[in-house]
Amino acid sequence: AAAAELSREVALPVLAGATALKGARLIARRPGRATVAQLALGAAAAALSTAATLRIRESALTPWAAYRVALAALIVARDRS
């Protein structure tokens, strides 16, 4: 548990720096509305999955595993069509 906490604390400045750099590069490129909408949708999906993970983390991992299997099945099905 302590290793996981240390990993999160050490990763935070790296992730913040990478986000700032990507943001600056994105602003310099001046993307279109469609691109910005897609990025916003991706960020929202990441935030929701993180929130769900934090809730599940304290409980059994079975719901988490079921979610990941269902998501993988959806991705494979869409990829084959």
Side-chain angles (χ1 to χ4, degrees):
E5 289 177 29
L6 177 63
S7 176
R8 278 194 303 274
E9 289 176 13
V10 170
L12 186 59
V14 174
L15 292 172
T19 301
L21 178 61
K22 286 283 196 175
R25 289 179 178 169
L26 181 66
I27 290 169
R29 284 196 330 229
R30 298 191 181 268
R33 285 187 178 198
T35 301
V36 172
Q38 290 173 346
L39 289 171
L41 184 60
L48 288 173
S49 68
T50 299
T53 301
L54 291 175
R55 286 185 179 175
I56 292 173
R57 187 176 71 178
E58 300 300 323
S59 64
L61 293 179
T62 304
W64 173 251
Y67 153 73
R68 299 301 290 185
V69 169
L71 182 61
L74 177 66
I75 291 169
V76 169
R78 290 191 71 191
D79 190 45
R80 289 187 178 176
S81 61

